[in-house]
Amino acid sequence: MDINQRLSALSALHEHLNNLPEMELVALFDQMQNQNSWFTPEQSRHALKGIIAYLRPDHLQRWTSQYTFEKNESFLSKNIGLIMAGNIPGVGFHDLLCVLVAGHRACVKLSTSDQVIIPWLADQLSEIDPTLAKAVSFEERLVGRDAYIATGSDNSARYFDYYFGKYPHIIRKNRTSVAILDGREDQQEWNLLSEDIFRYYGLGCRNVSKVFFTDKEQIQAFMKGMDPASQVINHHKYLNNYEYNKSKYLVNRSPHLDNGHLLLVESEELVSPISVIYYELYTDKSQLQATLTTQEDKIQCIVSRNGWWKGSIPLGTAQSPQLDDYADKVDTLQFLLDLK
């Protein structure tokens, strides 16, 4: 099965997913929420929409045209152990897609937090192309594979490195995302930034957890600008996090701002708890750039108004990555193509 045949099958999967009956999708989203209450139907629908966008034929062609595929490649020549995260719905699909495009076999260990949508997608693929679907298996123990791609926390990364370090590997650690504001944001921009903050309730590495302001006047504008996202507090787990963190700051008399669904705390740290955003003030762009450079191994992406900050993406796009927006900025597909 060569690369053109694989792309044809994946393009057919795109068409298939785009035309599924709404009742089937509702049943899928209900099952996902029953398995993980963070995965509400709204969040799961957004995640599936992103997966379908990955599979658009023009997106696949543009992405794969950047790489060289062997003409006489051996299909399923390598067994790739995929240890998936489960913080947001279907977050491991991009790794799975890379393995399929590269022509290897994906041996998947699912996260206990995300057990539904990846097997469901594999089942959908089996209806379209059973040959390509046979390249996916779900396993509990991944021993003696040819290479590994593992995603987890800083603690689990040490575990992964101990067991898989002698094999070709990509091991990912904790990352987060930041926003850099210039004081020219209006309510439209605040709405876009709220998407970067609250999508998936802030659980993803592409969610903004730290904001850089130019002056204190922006802070009040930011808190008011987040008001339209107040419905996030209706989720019981988010509410529990908000109430816990608010109580902690009150008991410890820690300075913070509160708009009823979001807590804002000044801190040099990058990764904030759920329902909390950290912030810092900056006056010198070069100094801020130097600070961000020292922290680049912890930052997944930077957002700014219309992408004005060099190397950033526009507000509102953090949770809509493209196929070549690789996690930890490591080219997963090239890694897989380079395996001998």
Side-chain angles (χ1 to χ4, degrees), residues 87-140:
N87 50 329
I88 65 177
V91 68
F93 180 78
H94 187 271
D95 285 338
L96 175 60
L97 179 61
C98 287
V99 174
L100 294 178
V101 167
H104 300 313
R105 178 180 286 105
C107 308
V108 180
K109 179 171 174 52
L110 296 168
S111 165
T112 56
S113 300
D114 189 13
Q115 299 253 319
V116 177
I117 192 169
I118 298 295
W120 177 84
L121 286 165
D123 288 342
Q124 301 304 308
L125 179 59
S126 68
E127 295 183 21
I128 300 300
D129 194 307
T131 300
L132 187 57
K134 288 179 181 178
V136 184
S137 63
F138 296 94
E139 305 174 21
E140 282 302 312

Side-chain angles (χ1 to χ4, degrees), residues 307-322:
W308 70 269
W309 183 268
K310 183 179 179 180
S312 71
I313 58 177
L315 297 171
T317 65
Q319 287 296 355
S320 300
Q322 303 301 308

Side-chain angles (χ1 to χ4, degrees), residues 124-295:
Q124 301 304 308
L125 179 59
S126 68
E127 295 183 21
I128 300 300
D129 194 307
T131 300
L132 187 57
K134 288 179 181 178
V136 184
S137 63
F138 296 94
E139 305 174 21
E140 282 302 312
R141 298 182 72 249
L142 299 178
V143 179
R145 304 302 181 223
D146 297 302
Y148 290 88
I149 300 174
T151 306
S153 65
D154 289 351
N155 286 333
S156 61
R158 287 190 286 270
Y159 167 87
F160 295 149
D161 189 60
Y162 176 80
Y163 283 98
F164 309 135
K166 63 182 179 181
Y167 301 94
H169 62 269
I170 295 174
I171 296 176
R172 306 191 185 106
K173 302 178 182 179
N174 284 340
R175 287 208 175 208
T176 192
S177 298
V178 304
I180 302 176
L181 308 182
D182 63 359
R184 300 166 64 184
E185 292 78 16
D186 57 21
Q187 188 56 54
Q188 181 178 357
E189 270 88 40
W190 296 134
N191 292 341
L192 293 172
L193 178 55
S194 71
E195 171 72 12
D196 296 328
I197 292 172
F198 295 111
R199 174 61 62 187
Y200 307 124
Y201 302 103
L203 291 165
C205 68
R206 298 183 68 89
N207 284 108
V208 167
S209 63
K210 175 80 171 274
V211 177
F212 291 92
F213 298 108
T214 57
D215 57 63
K216 290 188 176 181
E217 291 183 4
Q218 279 185 277
I219 295 174
Q220 292 295 338
F222 166 79
M223 293 300 277
K224 182 174 176 55
M226 294 298 106
D227 282 348
S230 61
Q231 74 279 356
V232 71
I233 204 71
N234 295 328
H235 191 283
H236 67 284
K237 283 193 171 183
Y238 184 92
L239 175 61
N240 289 343
N241 279 270
Y242 167 80
E243 290 183 333
Y244 169 78
N245 289 311
K246 179 177 180 177
S247 299
K248 182 177 65 175
Y249 294 138
L250 289 172
V251 167
N252 295 330
R253 297 185 179 180
S254 301
H256 66 280
L257 292 175
D258 177 9
N259 68 357
H261 66 279
L262 181 67
L263 302 163
L264 187 66
V265 176
E266 187 170 14
S267 173
E268 293 182 357
E269 298 291 321
L270 284 176
V271 182
S272 61
I274 299 300
S275 78
V276 179
I277 291 292
Y278 289 152
Y279 79 91
E280 281 188 67
L281 299 176
Y282 76 97
T283 54
D284 188 296
K285 293 179 183 177
S286 60
Q287 184 177 0
L288 176 57
Q289 182 60 63
T291 299
L292 295 174
T293 299
T294 64
Q295 299 173 316

